[in-house]
Amino acid sequence: FGRLGRGGDGSDELDFEEMEYFHTANDSVLNPNDATTVIKVDAGRNFSGALSSDGELWLWGRNDYGQLGAGPEGVRDRDAAARYPRLIRSLPLEGHRIVDFACGEHHVVALTSAGAVYEWGNRKWLEPHPITLPSRYEDGLKNLVRVFAGDRVSFALSSDGRLYSWGLAATGCLAQGPDCPEKLAVPTLVPAETFGGHRVVDIAVGRGRCLAITIEQ
């Protein structure tokens, strides 16, 4: 399914091999004249992503859930995939710079420099879809610094240790208590008492489980 991002017949490799794409590609929208510097990578199930220092995101691998953000055309074939990194062009074309992203099992969540959260995949959104408004708006979430993704759940963390969750309650990862609805469509603040009033400084999300590091206020 092109998981290695190096083209070819898609065969697995037993040893590490450098991806040459970012040495030669000139498909950047924000900085097409300079070499791409990758500052973060992540991987979901059968797909991967790389974030550049200019705030652009490339994805490659399988696209059966729309996780590559390629739109409806990209998921017509059940074996749809990208064998080379594919730039998410819509966000930089609209002036957005991505500061963090995360790959879930079958979806991607991204945070822009304006504080807006976008999400796609899971056979729901086939292209980047805004989940929150930029932070400058009254209804926008404030001081977001990182995002995380698991299996049908996503999270956003603020600089002051507030954690927001959304997705399916059946995963057991939302940490919203027994009265949580079956599905949260928008980021919802995890109650402070969940972590004993402590600030959350980092989390890790797996399939059906989550871990959090906290510090006292």
Side-chain angles (χ1 to χ4, degrees):
F1 301 111
R3 290 173 293 184
L4 301 182
R6 298 204 304 273
D9 61 4
S11 299
D12 289 339
E13 296 284 351
L14 299 180
D15 299 313
F16 281 105
E17 294 285 346
E18 183 178 6
M19 289 180 61
E20 298 180 355
Y21 182 86
F22 295 105
H23 292 303
T24 59
N26 60 351
D27 55 345
S28 169
V29 171
L30 299 177
N31 192 9
N33 297 320
D34 294 327
T36 298
T37 300
V38 174
I39 59 172
K40 179 177 179 177
V41 293
D42 200 8
R45 185 176 182 180
N46 293 327
F47 78 104
S48 304
L51 177 66
S52 77
S53 57
D54 294 309
E56 294 178 297
L57 178 63
W58 283 260
L59 299 167
W60 63 94
R62 196 166 187 181
N63 192 43
D64 52 333
Y65 283 76
Q67 58 266 56
L68 301 189
E73 293 292 331
V75 293
R76 286 188 174 183
D77 183 350
R78 63 183 297 271
D79 294 324
R83 297 189 182 278
Y84 290 99
R86 179 187 180 278
L87 175 64
I88 297 294
R89 297 182 61 85
S90 61
L91 294 179
L93 284 172
E94 295 173 0
H96 299 296
R97 293 178 182 268
I98 299 173
V99 295
D100 194 28
F101 84 102
C103 296
E105 283 281 300
H106 300 293
H107 77 287
V108 177
V109 58
L111 173 66
T112 73
S113 58
V117 177
Y118 285 77
E119 189 173 72
W120 60 93
N122 276 335
R123 293 179 178 165
K124 180 177 182 182
W125 308 114
L126 304 181
E127 297 174 299
H129 178 82
I131 300 298
T132 71
L133 291 170
S135 59
R136 66 179 181 274
Y137 292 96
E138 181 178 353
D139 292 336
L141 300 182
K142 311 304 180 185
N143 305 314
L144 296 183
V145 291
R146 294 187 65 190
V147 288
F148 310 84
D151 181 15
R152 297 167 295 167
V153 293
S154 301
F155 299 85
L157 180 64
S158 71
S159 59
D160 57 359
R162 296 174 183 266
L163 183 65
Y164 299 84
S165 66
W166 66 100
L168 296 185
T171 64
C173 292
L174 296 181
Q176 296 289 347
D179 297 326
C180 178
E182 292 183 1
K183 181 178 181 180
L184 292 177
V186 297
T188 303
L189 182 64
V190 174
E193 55 267 25
T194 300
F195 300 107
H198 294 179
R199 291 176 53 196
V200 179
V201 296
D202 196 14
I203 72 168
V205 188
R207 187 174 183 181
R209 66 193 186 282
C210 299
L211 301 171
I213 300 175
T214 66
I215 59 173
E216 295 184 5
Q217 296 279 18

